Amino acid sequence: MAEMKIKVGTKIEPAEAKKLDRGKMGVGTVNKPKEAEVEAQCRFWQQIVCPWCHGVSWCYVDDQVYLWFTCCWCGCSFRA
């Protein structure tokens, strides 16, 4: 079985988060949603640790769509 790696996010200060495009914001979820299997997919679900509260969220990582995320536990912003 493959080893799962959990990435630690990078803090975004609240003042900076207010200036960021909310259309490029992903929202972390508690549980990984079920998805259809797709080969050669560049987008993927990854567990990311919030640098603010250290809660683990599932985030849909796609650098063309989501440039930053909001933690599902504390609501703070971070980059993946």
Side-chain angles (χ1 to χ4, degrees):
M1 181 177 272
E3 183 178 318
M4 181 185 294
K5 295 187 180 184
I6 300 176
K7 187 174 183 178
V8 178
T10 304
K11 287 182 180 180
I12 298 176
E13 295 297 329
E16 181 185 354
K18 289 179 183 179
K19 298 175 187 175
L20 295 174
D21 180 1
R22 294 187 73 76
K24 298 284 185 179
M25 179 188 77
V27 178
T29 63
V30 176
N31 297 313
K32 179 182 176 185
K34 295 205 182 257
E35 59 184 308
E37 289 188 31
V38 179
E39 291 186 34
Q41 186 172 346
C42 64
R43 301 171 188 133
F44 57 94
W45 287 97
Q46 181 175 8
Q47 286 185 302
I48 300 177
V49 176
C50 173
W52 296 95
C53 72
H54 307 289
V56 178
S57 300
W58 281 98
C59 297
Y60 192 60
V61 178
D62 178 348
D63 60 358
Q64 300 298 312
V65 179
Y66 302 116
L67 301 180
W68 59 293
F69 297 89
T70 299
C71 178
C72 63
W73 299 104
C74 69
C76 291
S77 303
F78 60 89
R79 288 186 177 85

